[in-house]
Amino acid sequence: VPKLVDHDLRRAEIAQAVFRLVEARGLEALTIRDVAVEAGWSTGVLAHYFQDKDELLAFAFVRVAERIRQRVDAIPPTDDPFERLRAGLLELVPLDDGRRSECQIWFGFLGRALARPGLAAVQSALYAEWRERLELAITEAKEAGLLRADLRPADEAAELAALVDGLSLQALFAPDEIDPDRLRRLVEARLEQLRG
Amino acid sequence: VPKLVDHDLRRAEIAQAVFRLVEARGLEALTIRDVAVEAGWSTGVLAHYFQDKDELLAFAFVRVAERIRQRVDAIPPTDDPFERLRAGLLELVPLDDGRRSECQIWFGFLGRALARPGLAAVQSALYAEWRERLELAITEAKEAGLLRADLRPADEAAELAALVDGLSLQALFAPDEIDPDRLRRLVEARLEQLRG
């Protein structure tokens, strides 16, 4: 009987190993060898999945996006589209250690991706999808009369994505000044300005 | 007569060489050797100024901030604090090739700085100063009755810095979707929402 390998499970385990290492030591020093040791496998097994560090980082970046999407999808349903928008945005900012390490992977990846077309394409696709999801959520809230009538949902989607990215960056570097309470308040204050 | 070296001039020339290289090839592949060749000096001379790539990047990051500050300070004076705020913010986003390469250095640096306390301290100091300058500009515009009376200048400073960073990131990765015209419109639309 051939030995069956559950590749999805392996990928999930690799992602967990990457997240643990980034939390402990940051992204820059991450190597495929470290990830192999952390996951308890040989470097050879890892090489089966990733050709180089860039592929490993792209994988971690996409996993972060999936993790966030799962949390957003798991938000208890509510009839209030404004509340859904609020809760969704708060899943993206570093309000706890888990989200902090997600943000570290995110911006570490973006910094590298700027100069690498292959990685940049992964970013572009994810952000285009993110803006679309936000646009949909904004349109729903606007049609329910909960947001200003003059809002352009596509533009506001880019603005809210920018807000979340920019505030997360500031919170990562100045965790005392932009602490979780203030971060939450800043996101909510912005949304209040959009109320109809 | 001892040979006099104008260190400020040299630093300015080094910065120009870094900017040209980043525009041509991106940040990731940048080496001290490349910069020496581009500036027309020996690696030994560069080693006199920078111990390693991180020091070179911190230097380039600080020069970008200085360049932007000089442009903001050179904006023709106006009595309208709202207009000053608008013009200042537009100096920060990638509306042309020069500002695009500034943004590439900026976010490339931030990606690396996340995992390096020495670099992170440079970021924190610069951002704290940036938020202060924005807070001052917002307070002026608010006191002139040009912004909503319920705005908290310190919070709005963090929000506008976040907007500029986040939109710049999106524009770098999706220059066709977030082109200079749209980028300008997004910054201005946000400011219009803050009008009193």
Side-chain angles (χ1 to χ4, degrees), chain A residues 25-29 103-104 107-108 110-116 119-120 123-124 127-128 131 148 151-152 154-159 161-163 165-167 169-170 172-174 177-178 182 185-187 189-190 192-194, chain B residues 25-29 103-104 107-108 110-116 119-120 123-124 127-128 131 148 151-152 154-159 161-163 165-167 169-170 172-174 177-178 182 185-187 189-190 192-194:
Chain A
R25 293 185 237 162
L27 185 82
E28 189 74 20
C103 283
Q104 273 196 301
F107 293 108
L110 294 189
R112 283 173 79 99
L114 276 172
R116 306 186 177 205
L119 296 185
Q123 193 279 359
S124 300
Y127 269 63
R131 282 192 295 262
R148 299 164 59 133
L151 282 192
R152 300 161 72 136
D155 284 352
E156 206 52 52
E159 305 245 13
L163 178 83
D165 268 354
L167 286 181
L169 256 183
Q170 290 180 61
L172 284 181
F173 282 103
E177 197 175 343
I178 317 268
R182 188 167 176 215
R185 185 157 58 79
L186 287 168
V187 171
R190 178 78 181 86
E192 285 304 323
Q193 289 176 356
L194 304 182
Chain B
R25 297 185 234 160
L27 185 82
E28 188 74 22
C103 283
Q104 272 195 300
F107 293 109
L110 294 189
R112 282 173 79 100
L114 278 171
R116 304 185 179 207
L119 295 185
Q123 194 279 358
S124 301
Y127 269 64
R131 281 191 296 263
R148 298 165 60 133
L151 283 192
R152 299 162 73 137
D155 284 352
E156 206 52 50
E159 306 246 12
L163 178 81
D165 269 354
L167 287 182
L169 255 183
Q170 291 180 60
L172 284 181
F173 283 104
E177 197 175 344
I178 318 268
R182 187 167 178 217
R185 185 158 57 78
L186 286 168
V187 171
R190 178 77 180 86
E192 286 304 321
Q193 289 175 358
L194 304 182

Side-chain angles (χ1 to χ4, degrees), chain B residues 60-128:
Chain B
F61 180 69
V62 170
R63 286 303 284 220
V64 166
E66 279 170 10
R67 225 163 85 155
I68 294 171
R69 200 178 302 134
Q70 282 165 7
R71 283 205 308 273
V72 171
D73 289 343
I75 293 171
T78 158
D79 287 340
D80 180 348
F82 186 89
E83 173 52 26
R84 277 203 296 277
L85 188 58
R86 192 190 71 87
L89 290 176
L90 289 176
E91 285 302 333
L92 295 156
V93 292
L95 293 177
D96 54 31
D97 286 350
R99 279 173 275 187
R100 275 190 81 79
S101 75
E102 286 173 357
C103 283
Q104 272 195 300
I105 292 176
W106 198 263
F107 293 109
F109 176 86
L110 294 189
R112 282 173 79 100
L114 278 171
R116 304 185 179 207
L119 295 185
V122 177
Q123 194 279 358
S124 301
L126 260 173
Y127 269 64

Side-chain angles (χ1 to χ4, degrees), chain A residues 14-15 17-22 25-44 46-47 50-57 59-60 112, chain B residues 116:
Chain A
I14 293 169
V18 171
F19 293 152
R20 282 195 301 272
L21 287 172
V22 171
R25 293 185 237 162
L27 185 82
E28 189 74 20
L30 192 75
T31 66
I32 289 191
R33 218 187 108 75
D34 291 336
V35 176
V37 170
E38 177 72 23
W41 298 323
S42 70
T43 308
L46 262 279
F50 310 104
Q51 279 193 15
D52 55 27
K53 185 171 166 178
D54 277 352
E55 285 192 5
L56 180 67
L57 290 178
F59 165 76
R112 283 173 79 99
Chain B
R116 304 185 179 207

